[in-house]
Amino acid sequence: MKIKKINIGDIELDNNIILAPMAGITDLPLRCLAKSGGAGLVYTEMMSAKALARGDEKTKKLLKIADNERPVAAQIFGGDAYSVSEASKVVRDEGADIIDINLGCPAKKIAKAGAGAELLTNEKLVSEILESVVRSVDIPVTIKIRTGLLPSQNMAPEIVKIAQNCGIKMVAIHARSASQGHSGSPDLKSFAAACYNANIPVVANGGIVDEKTAADFLQLPNCAGIMIGRGALGNYSIFKRLKEFFNEGKKLSLPLKEEKMEWLKKHAQYSAEHYGEKKGFIVMRKVVHYYIKDLPNAAKIRDMFNKKVVTLSDFNELIKLI
């Protein structure tokens, strides 16, 4: 099991350890941190295809990309071929390197729109959407799916076949059903069945937080790589640690408090620069607990961050108390 380079169409990644797309989380500041931590590929937040297709400026702002985070995949969701293909053209024109179509989000709001994991029940529509997007753009197209809607299902093998036939360049599989959300152990057997005969890269996602959980997937035949979500938040050196472990056999120590605080300071600076100070710290409220969760006074610090920090000066005063 070596960490290796991987090709998505004509784009070569430095390694096959990838930051997962997370709605409301993987904004530009966080992606830059993950990239500096060694991620081979980073993803934008999930965006509405219909919003992009009608030119919604607020949604388009999510497509702002920094040169030092490339390559970047932009993830979109939608329930019809026209809006998804039109949105894909916007994504391409805004400079994303890869387009990713979400076929795995379990959120009720997304399901009501006939998108996300709900599409797994309609193979004909999946084919229509994927074929339309691949025809519409000249950059690689990928998809991210779940194994099914319920734990008893494994729709992934058939979706992988459809994806290959439609010209999709990579499939990422969250090895849990939509009904499980982020709970329960990932279904390694269902993932293995989906990637066994694949002729495009199939990447594993779900519950990967350390060397063991990464190895559980990487040892499976034809697993092309791993995708880490919440396990990377506030822990961006996980990408380099896993590379060191699998390539050199060295198990590096987990980040100490001091390292986490350096990540937090960088995140605060990037967020303030990207959004402006006030909005930057409001956005960071979603993730600050990942940096401080192991501290004895974590609840108090988080409360202070949420209620009192609106400028870099406020933030610097709070850091002195940690």
Side-chain angles (χ1 to χ4, degrees), residues 161-175:
K161 290 179 185 177
I162 291 170
Q164 292 175 169
N165 292 337
C166 292
I168 297 301
K169 301 304 183 185
M170 186 188 84
V171 178
I173 302 176
H174 185 147

Side-chain angles (χ1 to χ4, degrees), residues 42-54:
V42 295
Y43 281 69
T44 68
E45 305 171 56
M46 184 174 66
M47 294 167 282
S48 164
K50 285 187 175 179
L52 287 171
R54 65 171 182 263

Side-chain angles (χ1 to χ4, degrees), residues 7 160-161 163-165 167-170 194-202 222:
N7 286 88
V160 170
K161 290 179 185 177
Q164 292 175 169
N165 292 337
I168 297 301
K169 301 304 183 185
M170 186 188 84
C195 69
Y196 186 73
N197 288 316
N199 56 30
I200 58 174
V202 179
N222 219 26

Side-chain angles (χ1 to χ4, degrees), residues 3 32 60 137-138 153 175 179-180 195 233 278 288 300:
I3 299 303
C32 287
K60 280 178 70 174
V137 296
D138 54 359
Q153 300 169 324
S179 66
Q180 288 176 285
C195 69
L233 299 180
K278 184 175 181 180
V288 68
K300 181 180 177 181

Side-chain angles (χ1 to χ4, degrees), residues 178-211:
S179 66
Q180 288 176 285
H182 293 278
S183 63
S185 299
D187 185 346
L188 298 174
K189 288 184 179 180
S190 289
F191 174 81
C195 69
Y196 186 73
N197 288 316
N199 56 30
I200 58 174
V202 179
V203 170
N205 174 233
I208 300 172
V209 295
D210 55 20
E211 291 85 354

Side-chain angles (χ1 to χ4, degrees), residues 125-182:
L125 181 54
V126 167
S127 293
E128 290 175 3
I129 291 172
L130 302 188
E131 287 174 358
S132 179
V133 174
V134 171
R135 283 197 307 267
S136 297
V137 296
D138 54 359
I139 60 175
V141 182
T142 64
I143 61 173
K144 188 170 188 288
I145 70 174
R146 292 266 180 159
T147 51
L149 299 184
L150 301 170
S152 57
Q153 300 169 324
N154 186 15
M155 300 169 168
E158 188 59 33
I159 297 296
V160 170
K161 290 179 185 177
I162 291 170
Q164 292 175 169
N165 292 337
C166 292
I168 297 301
K169 301 304 183 185
M170 186 188 84
V171 178
I173 302 176
H174 185 147
R176 295 185 180 103
S177 67
S179 66
Q180 288 176 285
H182 293 278

